[in-house]
Amino acid sequence: MIEIRIHGRGGQGNVVAAYLLAGAAFEAGRYGQAFPSFGAERRGAPVTAFVRISATPIRRRCQVRQPAFLIIQDEALLHVPGVLDGLHTGGGILVNSNRTPDELDITTGHELITLPASKLANETLGRPVPNTALLAAFLALTELLPQQALVKALAERFKGDMLERNTRLVERAAGMVPAGRWQEGDHAARA
Amino acid sequence: MQHALEGSQAIARAVSLCRPQVVSAYPITPQTHIVENLSKLVADGVLECELVSVESEFSAASVALGAVAAGSRAYTASSSQGILLMSEVLFNIAGLRIPLVLTCANRAVSAPLSIWNDQQDSMAVRDAGWIQLYCADNQEAIDTTIQAFRIAEQCELPVMVCVDGFTLTHTLEVLDLPDQQQVDEFLPAFSFARRLDPANPLSVGTLVSPEYFTETRQDHHQALLDATAAIVQAQSDWLAISGRDTGGLLRCEGPDDAATGILTLGSIAGTLQEAIEEQGDAAPARLITLRAFRPFPEQALRDACQGLERLIVLERALSPGAGGIVGTEVRAALGVMDNPPQIFNFAVGLGGRDVPLEIYTHLLDAIAKGRGTGFDILDLDTGKLPAETS
């Protein structure tokens, strides 16, 4: 089983990101579980969501405390206490940022990869919602599930032009990170 | 057919498959998505149903009561303060023997304000005279919702289906949604013998003098006790159609020769099961998941506890000034056994506090230290208590 934690802010599609990833797992014939941990229900407030992907049914419902990967939808959250807590040794952090990891100037002890996801979304969807681009990049990095599974999960939520734009965004974002970079990592959580 | 669905969405689809004729509800977190999804199914023309928007939960329950009294299959859902605002009507629904199904998306009760999960809300209305069924996961929520309509209509009693707020309602997972034909085969069209009908006038809810009040109470009490058979039957009939075992009154897992048992209700069960499995032979335990809390399945509970040396009752609510609610009832039920297990009682996960995978080892450590022999809150952080009480 692989456990992933997604950090974002209310309004960024954080919970939808988690649902899409678990939905993609289902489309790829795996079991997926996704749920949010809401704070205050308002735009801008930090929101955390959890994803589990497994070949077998998932019964535990506790929050993910030791994720193999972190997906951060807002680079400022890197400085919020607790956001990096529990990340596995060798785990990766994917951050929505227009800057390079060096420019972020933060020491995490983990590999950090950035993607200008809001910018890509703004250009492709016309809205700066970073979740689809980050998920596509995450799947490209980990090769955990085929991109087609993400597109199928998107098709459960979007139709017509918006689905077509999201599909283009998947292709674009997936090509912007080193493919399979996190595939061989010694992630203790990998089952 | 399998789908990746959010719990609330799955519950709405299950309700829709039961062909309700009236749905009335008022939004409250974490119940909102259930009714939102039902409303969408109506708007999309999937469900033909009168959706009644109201100004409060009191009205939502009242509309549902009236709808069933007039012979319609009806449904409502709420949480927390909403359940409490309904409480007067909940007693009326039960006393009038109105077969209504309500989903309680379990949430803590104010004050202090919390939108997060515990089971204080449904526990607060345990004496309203409803059947209460608790779901361990979203598949059980689907299957129990469908069974609830049949149990309600067969027993002429309302059924509250309790699902943990957020932990279940807001979790997306892979779920098997039955098809319409399966549900139609299981659930006959609703026909209410005491239907309000101008052609055949009758009065309901009239004043009952002391000469008859006691007997109506006994009758209601007996109807709830007798409902155990209908709950078990609904489960076995649904198993034959769906192939899924939701547990009848309770579910028992783990080795028969285990000395330790853990009894809980709701969504903690899944985490506990994985936690117990992780310990393997080092610390085997029998996991008893209570599905029916009302009627309280005393005999099934005694059977499930045979051979145990100790039983830990783990619940997500408490009765301030007394202690555990479920624990107290379990103590009373097991007290008449020849060799009852020693009972430990803890509350955990109040107001949405996460119940981690370490829950099982925490419990074993706690009882080894002598905690829980009466009642204790397992995950209490004494450092956060006011100085005079810590």
Side-chain angles (χ1 to χ4, degrees):
Chain A
M1 181 168 62
I2 289 201
E3 297 184 312
I4 301 138
R5 203 167 61 210
I6 304 177
H7 294 270
R9 295 188 180 279
Q12 284 189 313
N14 212 48
V15 183
V16 172
Y19 285 180
L20 282 170
L21 191 49
F26 165 69
E27 299 293 348
R30 315 273 283 274
Y31 287 90
Q33 181 198 63
F35 58 102
S37 165
F38 283 114
E41 292 168 298
R42 57 172 182 256
R43 280 185 186 264
V47 178
T48 307
F50 310 98
V51 181
R52 294 191 168 99
I53 295 173
S54 169
T56 52
I58 303 158
R59 293 208 58 185
R60 69 183 64 178
R61 295 184 183 278
C62 42
Q63 297 182 354
V64 172
R65 297 192 178 184
Q66 291 169 323
F69 300 103
L70 291 174
I71 299 175
I72 316 277
Q73 306 221 66
D74 178 340
E75 65 179 64
L77 291 172
L78 284 169
H79 303 281
V80 171
V83 166
L84 304 178
D85 283 2
L87 182 61
H88 275 276
T89 309
I93 309 171
L94 177 63
V95 183
N96 172 25
S97 173
N98 294 338
R99 298 192 279 175
T100 65
D102 287 344
E103 285 168 351
L104 284 178
D105 192 26
I106 180 168
T107 310
T108 64
H110 302 276
E111 181 166 65
L112 190 149
I113 288 180
T114 58
L115 179 83
S118 294
K119 182 170 164 281
L120 291 173
N122 219 7
E123 289 166 8
T124 316
L125 306 177
R127 289 173 60 200
V129 183
N131 52 15
T132 297
L134 284 166
L135 292 178
F138 176 73
L139 292 185
L141 284 162
T142 58
E143 294 180 348
L144 190 57
L145 306 167
Q147 296 290 350
Q148 198 51 38
L150 175 60
V151 173
K152 281 187 188 170
L154 284 162
E156 289 289 311
R157 281 176 189 272
F158 302 106
K159 299 274 176 277
D161 180 50
M162 201 35 89
L163 175 61
E164 204 258 316
R165 284 165 187 254
N166 269 284
T167 307
R168 260 192 287 138
L169 182 56
V170 167
E171 286 163 12
R172 215 178 142 196
M176 291 180 66
V177 291
R181 169 91 190 167
W182 288 345
Q183 196 214 354
E184 297 301 321
D186 181 25
H187 302 295
R190 193 178 289 273
Chain B
M1 194 182 163
Q2 289 207 319
H3 303 264
L5 294 172
E6 186 200 16
S8 297
Q9 201 182 2
I11 292 165
R13 298 271 289 272
V15 170
S16 174
L17 287 168
C18 295
R19 303 182 187 275
Q21 292 152 298
V22 177
V23 171
S24 180
Y26 188 80
I28 180 169
T29 301
Q31 157 264 30
T32 313
H33 290 187
I34 299 173
V35 186
E36 194 176 284
N37 275 288
L38 273 168
S39 143
K40 190 169 185 307
L41 289 167
V42 173
D44 291 347
V46 176
L47 171 63
E48 201 178 317
C49 168
E50 188 85 24
L51 198 77
V52 187
S53 292
V54 287
E55 85 299 344
S56 75
E57 287 87 354
F58 187 98
S59 296
S62 300
V63 166
L65 185 165
V68 178
S72 301
R73 183 173 285 159
Y75 171 82
T76 189
S78 196
S79 298
S80 184
Q81 315 305 123
I83 292 288
L84 296 189
L85 189 56
M86 276 182 182
S87 62
E88 181 186 334
V89 191
L90 295 181
F91 278 77
N92 274 316
I93 290 166
L96 294 172
R97 304 284 301 274
I98 294 289
L100 173 71
V101 174
L102 175 152
T103 302
C104 176
N106 285 111
R107 162 182 156 180
V109 174
S110 285
L113 179 62
S114 166
I115 60 164
W116 294 282
N117 168 240
D118 66 31
Q119 295 171 347
Q120 197 73 45
D121 48 3
S122 54
M123 286 293 161
V125 294
R126 65 174 183 169
D127 298 333
W130 286 56
I131 291 171
Q132 281 195 350
L133 302 175
Y134 287 77
C135 302
D137 56 41
N138 278 320
Q139 189 64 57
E140 281 190 21
I142 293 173
D143 294 329
T144 302
T145 299
I146 295 162
Q147 291 172 32
F149 281 97
R150 186 157 108 178
I151 296 163
E153 290 165 14
Q154 194 181 331
C155 302
E156 294 196 353
L157 283 168
V159 180
M160 186 176 293
V161 180
C162 302
V163 292
D164 283 321
F166 290 111
T167 320
L168 293 183
T169 57
H170 287 56
T171 293
L172 179 135
E173 55 191 323
V174 179
L175 296 167
D176 201 334
L177 206 60
D179 59 41
Q180 187 65 61
Q181 200 188 336
Q182 288 176 303
V183 178
D184 288 346
E185 188 188 333
F186 175 78
L187 184 65
F190 179 43
S191 169
F192 192 32
R194 291 181 286 117
R195 182 169 73 96
L196 292 176
D197 180 0
N200 182 24
L202 64 100
S203 297
V204 295
T206 54
L207 182 75
V208 171
S209 68
E211 284 172 282
Y212 285 100
F213 190 86
T214 303
E215 288 68 31
T216 62
R217 276 288 177 263
Q218 169 62 29
D219 187 46
H220 188 175
H221 173 53
Q222 191 62 46
L224 269 157
L225 293 177
D226 293 346
T228 53
I231 294 167
V232 171
Q233 186 66 44
Q235 142 60 22
S236 63
D237 289 352
W238 183 242
L239 169 66
I241 292 171
S242 70
R244 284 188 301 277
D245 183 356
T246 45
L249 302 167
L250 51 81
R251 183 199 294 278
C252 223
E253 291 160 294
D256 288 339
D257 59 351
T260 302
I262 302 182
L263 181 144
T264 193
L265 61 182
S267 66
I268 297 178
T271 305
L272 263 173
Q273 198 211 23
E274 281 202 24
I276 293 168
E277 276 171 10
E278 277 202 352
Q279 293 297 313
D281 293 338
R286 190 184 304 168
L287 177 63
I288 303 165
T289 310
L290 198 61
R291 182 167 178 251
F293 181 59
R294 284 292 179 273
F296 191 68
E298 280 200 27
Q299 188 54 51
L301 201 54
R302 284 192 283 268
D303 293 344
C305 292
Q306 285 296 340
L308 291 178
E309 288 171 23
R310 64 194 74 82
L311 176 71
I312 303 169
V313 180
L314 192 62
E315 53 188 303
R316 231 162 170 171
L318 76 157
S319 178
I325 300 168
V326 182
T328 302
E329 298 196 10
V330 170
R331 280 184 209 279
L334 302 193
V336 299
M337 287 172 74
D338 288 335
N339 293 300
Q342 185 184 3
I343 295 171
F344 300 85
N345 188 193
F346 295 96
V348 72
L350 302 176
R353 182 162 295 183
D354 187 44
V355 178
L357 201 59
E358 295 77 28
I359 173 76
Y360 181 45
T361 49
H362 289 170
L363 279 170
L364 296 181
D365 290 348
I367 64 170
K369 286 176 187 153
R371 294 184 68 209
T373 51
F375 168 78
D376 280 299
I377 298 180
L378 183 73
D379 49 1
L380 184 72
D381 181 347
T382 51
K384 294 177 186 166
L385 291 170
E388 67 270 22
T389 54
S390 60

